[in-house]
Amino acid sequence: MIEGIMIGLSTALTPTNLAFVMMGCLVGTFIGMLPGLGPMSAIALMIPIAASLDPSAGIILMAAVYYGAIFGGSTSSILINAPGVASTVASSFDGYPMAKKGMAGKALAIAAYSSFSGGVIAALFLLVAAPFLASVSLSFHSTDYFALMVLGLMAVAAFAGKGDMIKALLMTVVGLMLSTVGTDQTQGVPRFTLGMIDLVDGISFLLLVMATFALSEALMAILKPKQDADRLKEKNASQNLGSMAISRAEVKEMAPVIGRSSILGFLVGVLPGAGATIASFLAYGTEQRLAGPEKGKAFGKGSVRGLAAPETANNAAATGSFVPLLTLGIPGSGTTAIMLGALISYGIQPGPRLYIDQPAVFWAVIVSMWIGNIVLLILNLPLIPYIARILAVPSRFLLPLILFFSLIGVYFVSFNTFDIQLMVIFAIAAVLLRFLDFPMAPMILGFILGGMMEENLRRALLINNDSWSFLWERPLTLSILSIAAACLVAPFLTSQLRKLKKQVYDKAGEGG
Amino acid sequence: MRLSKDRIGGLLLLAFCIAYGLLSQDIRLLPFQENTAFHARTMPEILAILGIGLSLATIVFPGSPETPRFAGYNWITCGLFLALMSLYGFSIRPLGFLLSTSLFLMLGFALLGERKPVTLVLVAVPLVVAFWVLMTQGLDVFIEPLPTFLRGA
């Protein structure tokens, strides 16, 4: 392993490769910040440039763009509540309220430190545990994957406030419904296309996320313009981001969250199909649960833990998703799928033999992850005050610009004007549902998991001769499903327990 | 029954779930597939039942009794923006990127209260041109800049 690290260091630390890491981080941050242009489009845009480089440099450049885009996505999530990257949607839940309170600098600093820690810790795990974890994920069956998806959806309960669990579950189902639009993967029959050719490929994830988050946020701001006092407050916040320093108490609060979320994010990232987005939502939900009823109330209102958890987990998962890519040749996410395509175009077939046949590529990628994270921290922390100037732009200019970036980001993916019309329809629905206090995040989670869930359920039934008994016969599947059921029942039980406790106290009070 | 926010949302989503359930019956199946445990209709049917059940639960057990208030919101401006976005979608090809986007931004700024024509042009046009240059020259993404009638044959 030491020998491998040395090979990686000697490859990654060459001046040219260092320059590519820096360039990749900067370009990635910039592209990730623009709502609509995420890591996938950023990497896709880099392929022509990477193709002209040697394989190590090309992969290093694309990996740096990947991390940079995730970091940039969190910046736009925090500052303008327009997550350009799906994996930073959860970061906006607490990051944006912090920015609104005039603590944008602190929120961005927390995001930077958490991302850095998540990335570095996960790269360490990748180095030590890659072969072992690859064999573990190999033993997962489709039944376990299906159960894991159910668990992911049940974590939706974590997003629900008091009495909102049914609404959150309903929105999850709506997300799952939207994921079924388009051609059925298994039989090739069109579903819910209403005879429109533009819906045959289904609804684009980017389109849905931009319409429900960026567009609806901007439209809500147009619907209810800020009062003069609020506007003044926001202007002051942008001119003075507030301190970027993090207090000792906050570090104490963040440290265990970073530890837990790094492990969780990395493990989720390792599982093929489950990427940074699921990791960030799961980490957010887990921390909210662990925070308990009192501290849990702060989530969604600018909680340090609520921001640190998804930020750590998404970077850790991004690193984790390289495990199946490098050791098995299976992409762990959409982004690594693009990277797999690029590797194959170089004539490199990722798989168990990669680090025997191409040690320089294998180790250089791992080492460049550390370097990339350090570069991101060093470059982006001093740049935060300049990046945050976006808040100083008056809303009469900023809101149409957000609408433009959202529309054009989606249009650039397909060059289909139908997508713009579809976005308008989704934006109307999202504004209406937000006006009625229905949460959007569970719908997005349902939409992401829908396709994978259906595919794994179909495969599980096929393997089990059309019998649903796999749900209780396989111990691992049953265990995961039991945890999912516990997620669903726990909030009811705890509230009942609290009521019972209160009654006992009241009675004791009356007695005394 | 008081029409709270939850109940109105529940009713809207109930209508959506029923429509979804009805449309799921239009999914074509081959005769032998109808008896299999899993086919193209399975997931939609399960989801329709779950959706209808949860919508009814939202209507029967609303989380909060809060009723919606429609006064005090800029409904007209919001509606105009929706129309503007839709128009932008229709105009981007025939008018080209530079003209359609500049018009979209200028009208957007004007709708939100910017009254100085010079400011409208000075903010929108350079920004659109800079974005176009960045995308076409920097990132190699081709975007047709000109209106149909100005393009070469």
Side-chain angles (χ1 to χ4, degrees):
Chain A
M1 189 194 291
I2 303 286
E3 197 185 334
I5 295 172
M6 295 315 287
I7 295 172
L9 278 173
S10 61
T11 315
L13 286 178
T14 60
T16 332
N17 285 348
L18 269 178
F20 282 130
V21 171
M22 283 198 204
M23 191 181 100
C25 286
L26 272 177
V27 171
T29 306
F30 179 71
I31 296 178
M33 256 187 72
L34 296 177
L37 292 174
M40 282 213 258
S41 31
I43 293 176
L45 289 169
M46 282 296 125
I47 287 177
I49 300 167
S52 60
L53 308 171
D54 77 85
S56 304
I59 296 296
I60 284 170
L61 175 69
M62 287 195 279
V65 169
Y66 187 14
Y67 294 119
I70 291 178
F71 185 87
S74 54
T75 306
S76 60
S77 284
I78 290 167
L79 293 180
I80 53 173
N81 199 19
V85 185
S87 57
T88 60
V89 169
S91 309
S92 66
F93 298 161
D94 283 282
Y96 184 58
M98 276 180 94
K100 280 209 289 193
K101 283 182 200 165
M103 296 193 292
K106 181 172 275 190
L108 289 166
I110 289 171
Y113 290 127
S114 307
S115 300
F116 171 75
S117 312
V120 169
I121 294 170
L124 199 71
F125 288 150
L126 175 69
L127 186 75
V128 178
F132 169 72
L133 284 166
S135 65
V136 169
S137 76
L138 255 184
S139 67
F140 266 68
H141 289 188
S142 41
T143 58
D144 308 323
Y145 276 117
F146 171 71
L148 210 64
M149 313 274 161
V150 175
L151 174 62
L153 291 181
M154 288 307 121
V156 90
F159 301 115
K162 198 183 166 195
D164 284 347
M165 195 160 170
I166 300 173
K167 280 199 299 191
L169 286 171
L170 176 56
M171 291 305 288
T172 313
V173 172
V174 171
L176 287 167
M177 285 174 170
L178 292 176
S179 75
T180 60
V181 175
T183 307
D184 170 46
Q185 300 257 319
T186 52
Q187 290 161 18
V189 291
R191 299 190 296 189
F192 308 105
T193 56
L194 308 170
M196 284 187 265
I197 201 153
D198 295 297
L199 285 176
V200 166
D201 286 339
I203 299 163
S204 136
F205 169 72
L206 193 64
L207 185 154
L208 190 68
V209 107
M210 294 312 290
T212 49
F213 281 91
L215 281 191
S216 74
E217 178 66 37
L219 289 171
M220 288 298 277
I222 291 166
L223 257 183
K224 195 169 187 183
K226 290 185 186 79
Q227 301 298 313
D228 286 344
D230 285 349
R231 207 175 287 169
L232 193 73
K233 208 172 154 188
E234 198 166 279
K235 201 178 172 191
N236 289 339
S238 64
Q239 277 164 359
N240 180 15
L241 284 174
S243 169
M244 276 169 57
I246 301 172
S247 69
R248 192 172 283 184
E250 284 163 340
V251 172
K252 237 179 178 177
E253 201 180 351
M254 276 166 62
V257 177
I258 286 174
R260 282 191 292 266
S261 304
S262 297
I263 298 168
L264 180 77
F266 181 75
L267 291 175
V268 173
V270 168
L271 301 172
T277 311
I278 297 168
S280 64
F281 279 105
L282 266 179
Y284 187 86
T286 308
E287 282 308 319
Q288 195 178 31
R289 284 266 158 275
L290 289 175
E294 277 309 307
K295 283 190 174 173
K297 278 181 192 161
F299 277 65
K301 291 170 191 157
S303 157
V304 171
R305 290 175 72 166
L307 176 60
E311 271 303 305
T312 310
N314 65 18
N315 257 43
T319 307
S321 67
F322 278 84
V323 173
L325 177 74
L326 292 175
T327 59
L328 300 169
I330 303 167
S333 64
T335 319
T336 43
I338 298 175
M339 286 185 144
L340 176 68
L343 275 171
I344 291 170
S345 73
Y346 280 127
I348 297 169
Q349 181 61 52
R353 286 196 62 82
L354 179 69
Y355 71 107
I356 299 164
D357 298 337
Q358 306 265 357
V361 174
F362 183 84
W363 292 107
V365 171
I366 294 174
V367 171
S368 75
M369 283 174 186
W370 283 320
I371 298 169
N373 277 298
I374 294 166
V375 167
L376 266 179
L377 193 70
I378 295 171
L379 278 185
N380 286 322
L381 268 183
L383 287 179
I384 282 173
Y386 304 101
I387 294 169
R389 292 276 168 210
I390 202 165
L391 269 180
V393 180
S395 57
R396 65 179 183 280
F397 294 122
L398 188 61
L399 294 175
L401 281 173
I402 293 175
L403 295 176
F404 159 66
F405 281 126
S406 311
L407 294 173
I408 211 69
V410 172
Y411 177 69
F412 278 172
V413 174
S414 62
F415 285 96
N416 184 354
T417 51
F418 173 81
D419 283 359
I420 295 182
Q421 308 305 335
L422 199 58
M423 276 183 93
V424 173
I425 294 168
F426 279 127
I428 295 171
V431 166
L432 201 64
L433 288 169
R434 284 176 70 147
F435 189 73
L436 296 169
D437 296 335
F438 276 67
M440 290 292 123
M443 184 187 79
I444 297 295
L445 191 65
F447 184 79
I448 297 166
L449 290 180
M452 291 190 270
M453 198 171 164
E454 187 175 10
E455 176 56 28
N456 281 297
L457 176 62
R458 187 193 67 82
R459 217 178 288 158
L461 280 166
L462 201 72
I463 293 165
N464 285 276
N465 297 321
D466 283 357
S467 164
W468 291 80
S469 61
F470 69 86
L471 292 173
W472 53 86
E473 276 175 357
R474 193 172 148 77
L476 185 57
T477 312
L478 184 65
S479 311
I480 301 170
L481 285 174
S482 305
I483 299 169
C487 278
L488 199 63
V489 179
F492 286 116
L493 284 181
T494 45
S495 74
Q496 289 303 318
L497 212 71
R498 224 172 293 141
K499 265 185 199 167
L500 205 73
K501 255 186 188 172
K502 199 169 175 275
Q503 275 175 0
V504 171
Y505 273 120
D506 288 349
K507 270 190 182 171
E510 278 168 24
Chain B
M1 193 171 71
R2 194 173 166 173
L3 269 183
S4 63
K5 279 183 174 182
D6 284 6
R7 283 199 171 117
I8 295 172
L11 281 168
L12 288 173
L13 290 174
L14 177 65
F16 173 79
C17 293
I18 290 172
Y20 178 89
L22 291 173
L23 283 172
S24 72
Q25 298 310 302
D26 292 344
I27 299 169
R28 270 187 300 115
L29 290 181
L30 295 171
F32 71 90
Q33 287 169 337
E34 282 173 18
N35 297 323
T36 54
F38 194 91
H39 47 67
R41 261 187 221 164
T42 311
M43 192 81 167
E45 281 171 349
I46 295 170
L47 291 175
I49 294 165
L50 275 174
I52 290 169
L54 286 164
S55 312
L56 288 172
T58 315
I59 297 164
V60 178
F61 311 109
S64 95
E66 199 187 337
T67 50
R69 274 180 300 163
F70 298 100
Y73 290 94
N74 287 337
W75 293 106
I76 295 172
T77 317
C78 187
L80 285 172
F81 260 100
L82 287 166
L84 185 63
M85 287 194 288
S86 183
L87 267 176
Y88 178 56
F90 286 119
S91 68
I92 193 162
R93 283 226 176 112
L95 289 188
F97 178 78
L98 296 180
L99 190 57
S100 62
T101 309
S102 301
L103 282 174
F104 171 79
L105 286 179
M106 284 192 282
L107 283 170
F109 300 152
L111 276 175
L112 290 181
E114 181 54 57
R115 290 286 167 262
K116 291 178 196 156
V118 180
T119 314
L120 289 177
V121 175
L122 282 181
V123 175
V125 177
L127 202 137
V128 172
V129 173
F131 186 79
W132 179 79
V133 171
L134 175 79
M135 293 311 284
T136 51
Q137 307 303 310
L139 298 172
D140 223 14
V141 179
F142 177 75
I143 318 164
E144 180 57 60
L146 301 171
T148 318
F149 60 92
L150 286 178
R151 285 173 212 163

